[in-house]
Amino acid sequence: AKHLLGIAHLAPDEITAILDLAEHYAAMNRSGEKHGEALRGLTQVNMFFENSTRTQASFELAGKRLGADVMNMAMQASSIKKGETLLDTALTLNAMHPDLLVVRHPHSGAVDLLAQKVNCAVLNAGDGRHEHPTQALLDALTIRRHKGRLHRLTVAICGDVAHSRVARSNILLLNRMEARVRLVGPPTLVPSAFRDLGCEVTHDMAEGLKDADVVMMLRLQRERMDGGFIPSEREYFHRYGLDAEKLSLARPDAIVMHPGPMNRGVEIDSATADDPSRSVITEQVEMGVAVRMAAMDLLAQNLKAERAACV
Ligand code: CP
């Protein structure tokens, strides 16, 4: 493939290839071994139109560890603020001949649109409530490292599924890899229509967590709630927040995940988030660098092959 726009475009063997290469980069990152030069001579531009800590930092580190020239566009200080459109911004950068464009945008579909207008490889770093493919890949890698597989695992994705691109990409990936996906949360945030994506839906945490191998908690994404239903935090935590008592309903070896950023005391309590015997939240961040290295390495290989064929 030329781009990484969503899990929807990836076949199971492509997902496995990214995870296998990421596993290799994860080992190198841990040992401090020198990295390859997979992106040497290539220019990576990061364009984040929405706030980010994990995704932006890990894409930057991933590019630098593989030898790319990395430029972070300060979108708040760009000519977007003078009314320039996303497409004109993309065409302007395209004229400078980048090789890899990493884009986060608040509107679903904006990254796909941009990919049609530029000559380089585009990686989706999260678009609206549509997809966040590298997050789902790093989640899958973390699960695989702990459980040895993805197929036939029961993964409970809990909380604000309706507004979550992380949930959507995870649902697509886990279904494709034959895991069993259970969505858990209030009806306003987990509508029954999600059953059409091949998931179980329940509005009861006890039912949702029963025998789960993986418990993935999601933040309430108030920025995408458009003034609609916003639950009271106290009531929400009481019914849907993860604590030791609710976690005891899952399998005794169930791992706890969260894509971050967390709202402690709302969707998860601190004792559970910081429990080293159950929580893999910091390992997810660590795997984020490895997965982004693998994704950019594989796209760069395709880019080089395409260019060689044109000579
Ligand atoms: N998980 C995630 O996308 O975090 P950031 O918004 O900090 O990048």
Side-chain angles (χ1 to χ4, degrees):
K2 182 171 181 189
H3 307 294
L4 177 56
L5 299 176
I7 299 297
H9 305 291
L10 294 180
D13 62 329
E14 292 174 300
I15 292 170
T16 301
I18 297 171
L19 300 186
D20 289 348
L21 183 57
E23 191 77 68
H24 160 77
Y25 280 129
M28 286 177 89
N29 287 339
R30 274 211 178 166
S31 70
E33 200 182 320
K34 269 273 176 225
H35 295 296
E37 300 281 281
L39 303 186
R40 177 70 59 204
L42 299 184
T43 302
Q44 172 192 335
V45 177
N46 297 333
M47 296 168 69
F48 280 68
F49 295 88
E50 245 187 18
N51 294 348
S52 170
T53 298
R54 282 148 282 267
T55 313
Q56 179 157 9
S58 59
F59 263 117
E60 181 176 352
L61 271 179
K64 287 180 171 166
R65 286 189 182 163
L66 293 179
D69 295 316
V70 183
M71 183 177 84
N72 287 308
M73 282 287 295
M75 300 318 300
Q76 294 303 320
S78 75
S79 289
I80 288 266
K81 292 285 164 199
K82 300 177 193 163
E84 191 163 46
T85 63
L86 170 66
L87 288 184
D88 282 338
T89 305
L91 292 173
T92 301
L93 286 171
N94 193 50
M96 300 179 199
H97 302 294
D99 303 291
L100 297 153
L101 213 50
V102 178
V103 187
R104 170 170 287 191
H105 199 279
H107 294 148
S108 304
V111 184
D112 290 45
L113 191 68
L114 193 144
Q116 293 166 27
K117 303 286 176 189
V118 296
N119 302 319
C120 60
V122 176
L123 293 103
N124 183 357
D127 64 323
R129 56 175 87 171
H130 176 226
E131 278 237 36
H132 193 351
T134 54
Q135 178 69 45
L137 288 161
L138 75 87
D139 291 339
L141 180 61
T142 308
I143 296 171
R144 207 178 73 165
R145 284 164 65 91
H146 283 268
K147 300 292 171 190
R149 67 183 204 280
L150 295 169
H151 67 274
R152 295 203 303 273
L153 290 177
T154 299
V155 181
I157 303 180
C158 310
D160 184 1
V161 173
H163 301 100
S164 174
R165 56 195 175 210
V166 173
R168 198 179 141 74
S169 287
N170 264 297
I171 291 166
L172 290 167
L173 187 151
L174 291 165
N175 276 342
R176 205 143 291 178
M177 303 309 277
E178 298 177 23
R180 179 176 173 198
V181 183
R182 220 181 256 164
L183 305 178
V184 194
T188 40
L189 301 178
V190 186
S192 305
F194 275 95
R195 289 199 176 96
D196 298 347
L197 294 177
C199 306
E200 297 169 25
V201 170
T202 174
H203 308 302
D204 177 68
M205 274 295 262
E207 190 178 80
L209 296 186
K210 188 172 179 331
D211 297 330
D213 297 288
V214 177
V215 180
M216 189 182 291
M217 302 308 298
L218 299 173
R219 178 176 66 89
L220 291 175
Q221 287 145 98
R222 297 173 190 285
E223 70 275 22
R224 296 198 196 103
M225 289 188 183
D226 305 328
F229 169 77
I230 300 183
S232 111
E233 291 186 355
R234 250 171 82 113
E235 174 66 10
Y236 184 81
F237 180 75
H238 177 67
R239 293 198 59 187
Y240 294 105
L242 190 66
D243 56 13
E245 195 183 332
K246 291 197 191 83
L247 183 59
S248 69
L249 301 164
R251 287 177 60 92
D253 60 351
I255 56 170
V256 173
M257 306 181 75
H258 194 306
M262 275 186 281
N263 288 146
R264 290 169 183 262
V266 181
E267 71 271 9
I268 189 167
D269 72 359
S270 279
T272 309
D274 300 333
D275 177 353
S277 68
R278 308 301 290 274
S279 170
V280 296
I281 295 170
T282 51
E283 188 177 333
Q284 287 174 265
V285 177
E286 182 186 355
M287 292 308 118
V289 180
V291 152
R292 286 158 184 138
M293 290 169 81
M296 291 197 289
D297 180 347
L298 292 170
L299 286 184
Q301 288 178 32
N302 294 345
L303 197 67
K304 286 174 187 168
E306 189 184 296
R307 287 174 182 172
C310 291
V311 174

